Amino acid sequence: PHFIVHLPRGNMDVCFNIDSKPGHILNLVSDSGTGLAVNGQLIGSKKMRKNKLNTYFGTISIYYQPEGIGVTVSTTGINVTDGRNNHTFAWASTAEITQDGVRISIIKEEQVSVTMNDSIKVTVLLHRVWKKHPINVDFLGIYVPSNNQYSPLVHGLIGQFSREPEVRVYNIGQGVDPLKMEATMEVKGNRLHVTRGWQKDYRQDKKRGSNIYCWFIHNSGKGFIDGHYTDYIVPQLHSFLHR
Amino acid sequence: AVLTSEEQEDFEAIRGDDITVKSYKVESRITSRFVHTTVKSSVVNSGSKAQSIGFNVQIPKRAFITNFTMNVNGIVFVGSVKEKTVARNLYAQARARGKSAGIVRANSLDMETFKTEVHIPPGSNIEFELHYQEMMSRKLGMYEHTLHLQPGRLVPHFQVDIYIFEPNGISMIQTPHTLGKQFIDIIKVTQTKHKAHISLKPTLQQQRKCENCTETIIDGVFAVQYDVERESNTGELQVSDGHFVHFFAPSNLSPLRKNIVFVIDVSGSMWGVKMKQTVEAMQAILDDLTIDDYFSIIDFNHNVRCWSEELVPGSSIQVKDAKKYIQNIRPNGGTNINEALMRAVQMLVRASNQGLIDPRSVSMIILVSDGDPTVGEIKLSTIQKNVKRAMREEFSLFSLGIGFDVDYDFLERIATENRGIAQRIYANHNAADQLQSFYRRVSSPLLRRIAIQFPDDSVSEVTQNRFDKYFSGSELVVAGKVLPSESNTLTSLITASAARLDITLQTDVDTTELDAELAKQEHSFTGFARQMWAYMTVKQLLSERSLAPSAVKKRKITQQIMSIALEHQFVTPLTTLLVESQDATERLLADSPKDPKHGCCSGGLGLGGGSSAPGPTPVHVVYHPPPWVQMTTPAPPSQAEKGPEEWTLPKRVTIVDND
């Protein structure tokens, strides 16, 4: 999956890919302060393309510990559990479900938004592909707003950027590909070689998406994210990140 | 249809009989759970004398007859539904002229027998055709369509066709072996995603009871069970012919917790098999309780006893103790229903006041009784009032009436008035299974306070759209008229509460799609939504009518029922089917029969059949002595002029009336 991180103060977007294995669960947000854990499990495409197996999010889990509620969104349906009860909703439904402080809005075949105590919101988009496509599979996209009110303890592949890092980009110049500029980025004490490119935001236009121009970090976000991407692999869908 | 040479031989052999049934064909067209059934029979008087030829069909009590036609030697009699008084006047006129005949409609418990007889000269041909419509309700995760097949004799052309069209797809279909195992290979089921065709077309040889028998083995219930695909929990919203039907049967939801008080009649009349089977059922029912459920047991005869004065959790220890208690009950004495129900309500009220009851749980009283009250308050209307007054909005009453000595109407009234349902249990047909099956239907409440709503300017004349509970495996159905609009979309919004969850579900449908699809289907029932709306509305109004608080209100409801029944051609308790010859000179009447008076059934007249069917076989009750019925056609000669080839006049004409 690809990640786009919007940095409001720096007025720029930074992006990177995480290339891991199907089945791996990546922690996206882990906030032991508010009790929120958001994890994404990877699925692979049906076949390799150019000797590479692309991975996507096939399942996104949003677990809100204070209410004991877990919302597991997969490409086949939406499951709401609270330890004792288990309710399943299909993507074919437009539904609104409220349980204690958690509100789940499902828009038929489009998206699910989970809002916790009106302060934290996570939106998951469904991307359907042609069932008989030789390579592609249905997958999910996750969108987390910058104004979510996490605790200072928040971390995770996305969560860590709620504290916006200082980013400086310089040495902007022509790259190997004449259409893509290259530059040097200084972030978190690292000096990184970055490439100007674009990735898609599908919130407005789910079919074609809108291009978001961003500075691309190579090697699975190495240097931009804290540690190595493998540090964010967790054992279960409801797991918090242990640091 | 042309007979094969072998069949022709058989047919010739049958012709030796006095009456030959040339063909017997039953066709059901099911579209979105609504069924239109046609029963056609072609009969010849192959004897040398004039004789009566009968046409008997058993139809489910919930069905409405929509038409009956006869063709006697080319003279066609066509049916039309009329207001009862209008039909009676027309019939009286015909009767005064000696040109009338009767149709008997006898009532049993679940079934009703439509029966007519026509007296015709030798060599005459007569064709009968009966139409009825019904809506199937989903129970324990499936719909069941049953046909009672009783041709009475071997029939050269015997055929049953059931065509199912379900717009959302058929998820499973099966034909249980209710008619007999010998039909397993003869019943053909053809199925595609949306359609199914079930056919039964036995040859004469296959119909014989034994190789050389001349009696038919076909005598029983032919059943088809199926369920439909449900893509989502929002249900199916279908629009056709200016009417909509919304089916709502969500699954994959956790059941709500239950608080149950079992109220069991242990009066003397329960002695024997009834008590044995009740105990057997209760053992299984109690095993089904979970630690999240609360329960207690009240047993009553002239006295009322509680196994536990308070509701207790369904733990294994409590369940074991309750089972032991039930096992030791020895029925005797009278029946004090009022006191028992009051104690049950008080128990729930107390638990509620003590905060023992989770506000999202379901509280229910399950009453099992086999007889009328004999001790304490015995006036049924007073008991009904007492129960209604004592019950709280969040409690429901479910009634099970065992056997025939119980006033089932009363049990049904108190159940429906208190947000529950009633069921009759046939004591002689494995009552334990029936009790357990009923319990299974109500043991998994998934949702409470369900409202199915539509934007005000999009629909009108909507049937009941608020429901207290939804049970797993059942279905809630709402129908109405779609108002003209520029938009081709109809939206419904369902709100409900589940265990800890509040849910709002939205469904949108293109209002033109289904009609376009139905037009392509050869065997679909194109007017299903319109008829289904009328069927549901009439059923609802009939039930409101029985509870109407004033004469004015009752009259208003009566007018509404009549207007819909006439427009949609339903024979209801307030309308009559008048069957007239084309020149309107000869008439028959078919009214809807009265319910049998309870306790009347021991001397009931069996109308045959049903013995091979599993489950309860209804006892057929004719509440009037079967009338001596004749039909005259053409114009009757006087008795003095009558020759052997001529038609007999009715000596007495009886019509069955019930209002």
Side-chain angles (χ1 to χ4, degrees), chain A residues 67-69 80 82 84-90 92-100 104 108-109, chain B residues 231-234 251-255 257 292 360 446 498-508:
Chain A
E67 309 290 357
I69 298 171
V80 183
D82 61 16
R84 184 191 293 271
N85 300 301
N86 192 345
H87 308 283
T88 307
F89 298 88
S93 322
T94 291
E96 182 133 337
I97 300 137
T98 44
Q99 177 165 349
D100 304 315
I104 304 150
K108 186 179 172 179
E109 296 295 332
Chain B
E231 244 186 288
S232 75
N233 274 345
T234 54
S251 54
N252 296 325
L253 298 169
S254 284
R257 295 177 189 192
D292 291 335
R360 283 182 177 269
L446 300 186
R500 286 188 69 190
L501 292 180
D502 288 321
I503 302 171
T504 305
L505 303 162
Q506 188 187 317
T507 311
D508 301 301

Side-chain angles (χ1 to χ4, degrees), chain A residues 107-151:
Chain A
I107 299 176
K108 186 179 172 179
E109 296 295 332
E110 293 277 333
Q111 65 177 62
V112 179
S113 292
V114 183
T115 311
M116 283 136 288
N117 282 336
D118 290 326
S119 57
I120 300 173
K121 185 175 178 180
V122 175
T123 300
V124 178
L125 257 61
L126 173 68
H127 293 271
R128 287 251 190 255
V129 300
W130 178 43
K131 264 189 185 152
K132 291 177 184 169
H133 193 284
I135 298 168
N136 294 345
V137 289
D138 292 347
F139 67 96
L140 302 172
I142 176 167
Y143 295 84
V144 181
S146 309
N147 59 357
N148 271 355
Q149 293 163 35
Y150 303 113
S151 81

